Amino acid sequence: MAPGKLVHEEAASFWNRYLYFVGIRQQNDQLRQELDAAKDELSRLRENASEVERLRRLLSMTPPGEWTRLGARIISHRLGPNAALETFLIDKGSASGVAPNTPVVSPDGVVGRVLRISPSAATVLLITDPNSRIPVVSQKNRTQGILKGEGPSHELSLQYVAQGAPIEEGEILVTSGLEEIFPKGLPVARVTSVGRSGASLFQLVTAAPLFVPQQLEEAALLFRGAPVIPAAQPDASGQPAPEQPPFPTKSGKLPKTPAAMAPTTRQPTPPPPAQAPAAQAPAAPAPAVKAAPPPAAVQSGQPEKKGREAGAEAGADQKKRRKPSRPEGQ
């Protein structure tokens, strides 16, 4: 019996090892799934933490005294290297009170202004665009100038700075408020170089924006006072206006269902006829129509026979009037 026992023990050992490895494989698969779920959750939490940090910085920005702030999310950046303007798209439009030339800022400084609007989105023109002009003043020496954009991957230029005006490298340029679009005192750019040209009356000053357009995900809109939100338009499937009710029925009550209103809609009330001259009054068929209805006999108290005779006479008169007159030659 020793060989039989050996075979039995080997078979049992092999089966146990097989079951053990199957359990190990199932456990490994389960642990891999849990690890993938933990990685996804960790990535989501990191993204949420980064968003919370950005929003905290945006909310920590205090607007000037008479201005209010409205947050917006950037949903589209400048498309392609050959785009005409340095712009991006935000998720706030005229339905939120946004209007053209509304200032757009970030926690670092001025971003631009609203160029075009739609009900649910708006296009923001950045300060780096060549069409952008912002009156600024240096924060330390109070030297004024016009900050002009020079396009993507180029620094800003500060124009109309006189040769003798004091200005230093590293100085912060803030809005002067002269154009009445941006509040006064918002940081815009930092001076990077100051040069002089003998043939020009102005200095050659360049500056760098305080924000990175490619890394911007949220921005804030500034409003003078509260944003003006337009009134909501009535829905196309809404009820009719109260000042234009449906036509009443003969009983003086309004119809309760659309089916009751259908005949009134198909047969509108004709306009009142114009008053005919006194000479044409006998030719009108009004007397015959008044004498024709049978209720007239009941209302006057005459017998039914007399009413029939009166109706026959009225019909004969109407036939005579309809019959055309013959010419004298016939």
Side-chain angles (χ1 to χ4, degrees):
M1 295 178 63
K5 289 182 180 180
L6 181 62
V7 171
H8 177 268
E9 291 177 358
E10 291 294 335
S13 176
F14 175 78
W15 180 254
N16 292 334
R17 288 196 301 271
Y18 173 76
L19 294 179
Y20 174 77
F21 287 128
V22 168
I24 292 295
R25 182 175 182 179
Q26 294 178 353
Q27 186 178 4
N28 289 340
D29 294 340
Q30 182 179 0
L31 292 177
R32 286 193 184 96
Q33 294 178 0
E34 294 179 358
L35 181 61
D36 294 339
K39 287 181 178 179
D40 294 341
E41 185 177 3
L42 179 61
S43 176
R44 185 171 60 255
L45 291 177
R46 286 178 177 175
E47 185 66 22
N48 292 340
S50 177
E51 183 180 5
V52 167
E53 184 64 26
R54 294 194 308 269
L55 294 179
R56 280 180 180 176
R57 293 186 58 200
L58 192 64
L59 293 175
S60 63
M61 182 184 59
T62 304
E66 299 180 355
W67 296 73
T68 57
R69 178 189 59 236
L70 176 65
R73 190 180 300 277
I74 298 172
I75 57 178
S76 175
H77 282 272
R78 180 174 178 265
L79 301 178
N82 297 325
L85 299 175
E86 281 288 307
T87 58
F88 59 70
L89 201 65
I90 59 176
D91 62 347
K92 293 293 186 297
S94 58
S96 302
V98 181
N101 292 330
T102 300
V104 182
V105 298
S106 69
D108 299 323
V110 174
V111 174
R113 58 183 177 87
V114 174
L115 181 63
R116 294 185 295 267
I117 61 172
S118 66
S120 59
T123 302
V124 178
L125 182 70
L126 302 181
I127 62 174
T128 57
D129 188 83
N131 300 295
S132 175
R133 306 286 193 282
I134 302 177
V136 295
V137 60
S138 61
Q139 198 170 33
K140 180 179 179 181
N141 297 306
R142 313 309 295 177
T143 300
Q144 297 187 6
I146 303 296
L147 192 64
K148 177 181 178 296
E150 297 295 341
S153 67
H154 290 84
E155 293 185 341
L156 311 174
S157 63
L158 185 61
Q159 299 179 343
Y160 310 114
V161 179
Q163 288 287 355
I167 190 169
E168 301 175 2
E169 293 184 7
E171 197 170 357
I172 299 296
L173 302 176
V174 298
T175 55
S176 61
L178 296 179
E179 82 287 358
E180 296 184 356
I181 294 179
F182 296 92
K184 185 178 181 179
L186 295 180
V188 183
R190 177 181 285 104
V191 177
T192 57
S193 65
V194 178
R196 302 181 184 275
S197 176
S200 176
L201 299 177
F202 305 103
Q203 301 184 40
L204 303 177
V205 183
T206 59
L210 299 178
F211 71 97
V212 181
Q214 292 78 12
Q215 298 179 359
L216 201 61
E217 299 183 30
E218 293 89 11
L221 300 164
L222 298 182
F223 299 91
R224 194 185 299 272
V228 181
I229 301 177
Q233 298 294 334
D235 191 9
S237 61
Q239 298 295 332
E243 56 269 6
Q244 296 180 356
F247 295 101
T249 58
K250 293 182 179 180
S251 60
K253 297 181 180 180
L254 298 178
K256 296 182 180 180
T257 60
M261 296 174 58
T264 307
T265 306
R266 291 194 298 266
Q267 299 179 2
T269 305
Q275 295 182 358
Q280 299 179 1
V289 177
K290 290 183 179 179
V298 180
Q299 293 178 2
S300 58
Q302 295 181 359
E304 184 180 356
K305 184 177 180 180
K306 294 182 179 181
R308 292 178 181 177
E309 294 177 357
E313 294 177 359
D317 294 341
Q318 188 173 5
K319 289 181 179 180
K320 291 180 180 180
R321 291 173 183 173
R322 292 179 180 176
K323 186 176 182 181
S325 60
R326 294 183 178 181
E328 295 180 358
Q330 296 180 359

